[in-house]
Amino acid sequence: MRTTVRWATTLGLTATAVCGPLSGAALAEPGLAPTALYAPSVLVLTVGHGESAIATTPERAVTLSCAPRPLGTHPAAAPACAELRGVHGDFGALTSHEGLMCTKQYAPVVVTVDGVWQGQRVSYERTFSNDCMKNAFGTGVFSF
Amino acid sequence: MRTTVRWATTLGLTATAVCGPLSGAALAEPGLAPTALYAPSVLVLTVGHGESAIATTPERAVTLSCAPRPLGTHPAAAPACAELRGVHGDFGALTSHEGLMCTKQYAPVVVTVDGVWQGQRVSYERTFSNDCMKNAFGTGVFSF
């Protein structure tokens, strides 16, 4: 009997050790629908010409998933994910390229980001004075 | 001269007929970056357990592109796109399955949709009283 209990305990601990890190919320909330094996990082990025998202029709939109691997219709998903990991998904923390020359032409372009970054909701909007300024921001996450 | 004008007009109309439907905003706004060949339909859908999105951590999130072809991490992208085309992207117009039996257990689950549907911004949130009710809504767009 003691052997059985010991085996059961060992198997249980082994199962927890093996499956625990993979199952996350699924184990924490038994009875719920199966959840993802990792906190989701899934975004929709749009770009449109105008001063604010509410007054602008999005001209292009791409998806960007960063877990478990870079994926999406973003033309450079892997560098974009690396860039976002570097700022922990904080779009406001991205900076502009140094040394890049842009004209001062005012042709405003607005980008939006909506979705989830590592399980936290994201809703971001930023207006640049022209396309060049947009593309100089970060290292390419808004170049689509 | 009249012949020249007529030819020029004909060529112009032909060019518009051939290129117009493909180029959209790119022709309307010469000099801008190349735009997509179709109005984008790109969405991020999330699901989390709670009463409202603001108070809920998204547990799962998927992408869904519907143009030019169904694509994304949504587990059933093609039927989901077909379903959304049927209601012209109006999530509020989806209805629940008839005849599906759900318990009245209260374990609220909230879904959100953000992105763009045929060039129009989408921001949708809906709370169901339990998972069964969520999955009964539409024909599977929220079954992920």
Side-chain angles (χ1 to χ4, degrees):
Chain A
M1 183 62 180
R2 283 180 59 193
T3 309
T4 311
V5 170
R6 196 180 305 141
W7 264 106
T9 309
T10 307
L11 284 172
L13 289 174
T14 308
T16 306
V18 172
C19 306
L22 292 176
S23 47
L27 274 188
E29 301 178 87
L32 299 182
T35 54
L37 302 182
Y38 42 82
S41 290
V42 179
L43 303 166
V44 165
L45 297 88
T46 75
V47 61
H49 284 81
E51 293 198 342
S52 66
I54 203 166
T56 303
T57 299
E59 289 159 27
R60 296 188 298 282
V62 294
T63 57
L64 181 64
S65 285
C66 291
R69 64 186 188 284
L71 200 73
T73 59
H74 192 290
C81 288
E83 184 175 352
L84 292 178
R85 273 193 297 271
V87 293
H88 307 288
D90 178 7
F91 283 82
L94 295 173
T95 52
S96 294
H97 297 189
E98 287 182 17
L100 193 76
M101 301 292 283
C102 287
T103 67
K104 291 189 176 176
Q105 182 194 12
Y106 188 66
V109 54
V110 62
V111 296
T112 65
V113 183
D114 288 283
V116 183
W117 179 266
Q118 292 188 345
Q120 301 299 308
R121 296 186 193 282
V122 172
S123 183
Y124 179 78
E125 173 180 342
R126 183 163 185 144
T127 305
F128 299 92
S129 55
N130 57 48
D131 269 312
C132 176
M133 298 292 283
K134 167 181 78 68
N135 294 332
F137 192 67
T139 59
V141 69
F142 293 125
S143 299
F144 60 87
Chain B
M1 184 65 179
R2 283 180 58 193
T3 309
T4 310
V5 170
R6 196 181 304 140
W7 263 106
T9 309
T10 308
L11 285 172
L13 288 174
T14 308
T16 307
V18 172
C19 306
L22 292 177
S23 48
L27 273 188
E29 300 177 87
L32 299 181
T35 54
L37 301 182
Y38 41 83
S41 291
V42 179
L43 304 166
V44 165
L45 297 89
T46 74
V47 61
H49 284 82
E51 293 197 342
S52 67
I54 203 166
T56 303
T57 300
E59 291 159 27
R60 295 187 299 282
V62 293
T63 58
L64 182 63
S65 285
C66 291
R69 63 185 191 285
L71 200 73
T73 58
H74 192 290
C81 287
E83 185 176 351
L84 292 179
R85 274 194 295 272
V87 293
H88 307 289
D90 178 6
F91 283 82
L94 295 173
T95 52
S96 294
H97 295 187
E98 285 183 18
L100 192 76
M101 302 291 282
C102 288
T103 67
K104 291 189 174 176
Q105 182 194 9
Y106 188 66
V109 54
V110 61
V111 296
T112 65
V113 184
D114 288 283
V116 184
W117 180 264
Q118 293 189 344
Q120 300 299 307
R121 296 186 193 280
V122 173
S123 184
Y124 179 78
E125 173 179 342
R126 185 163 183 143
T127 305
F128 300 91
S129 55
N130 57 48
D131 269 312
C132 176
M133 299 292 282
K134 169 181 77 69
N135 293 333
F137 191 67
T139 58
V141 68
F142 292 127
S143 298
F144 61 88

